Amino acid sequence: MSDAEKTKTSPKKFRKGDLIRVNRAAYENSVEANSSDQEAPDYIFEGPGELLLVKDEYCQVRWRRPVPDVWLRIDQLEPWS
């Protein structure tokens, strides 16, 4: 298996303190999206959110707003730029 193939199949590696945003396509119709409000707030897709904790395939995210922290799957996140 080539390095490019390994990168495609392995989950993204994030660390505590990384700045992220939610990938809209990955989030839509997910278990997390279906268990929340019908429309997600725009700020999660714009970012940045800060990773507080990374555990297995989930990350705890804190937004720079007066809202609760949330847990999201790693494959729904992308680096904020």
Side-chain angles (χ1 to χ4, degrees):
M1 184 181 289
S2 71
D3 286 80
E5 291 173 331
K6 288 179 187 177
T7 304
K8 288 181 184 177
T9 58
S10 61
K12 298 175 187 171
K13 299 294 181 186
F14 290 109
R15 297 186 325 214
K16 179 181 176 180
D18 284 351
L19 297 179
I20 58 88
R21 66 178 171 196
V22 175
N23 178 309
R24 189 180 298 268
Y27 181 78
E28 290 177 350
N29 296 318
S30 68
V31 171
E32 293 79 10
N34 291 327
S35 66
S36 190
D37 292 337
Q38 286 190 351
E39 288 192 34
D42 287 334
Y43 66 83
I44 71 170
F45 305 113
E46 296 164 359
E50 180 181 357
L51 296 183
L52 299 179
L53 186 63
V54 178
K55 184 157 177 94
D56 299 325
E57 61 184 57
Y58 286 88
C59 295
Q60 185 179 21
V61 182
R62 174 168 290 160
W63 304 101
R64 295 179 176 175
R65 297 174 179 267
V67 296
D69 301 339
V70 295
W71 286 89
L72 294 167
R73 284 196 334 258
I74 285 179
D75 64 344
Q76 297 171 341
L77 306 177
E78 58 188 28
W80 182 73
S81 53

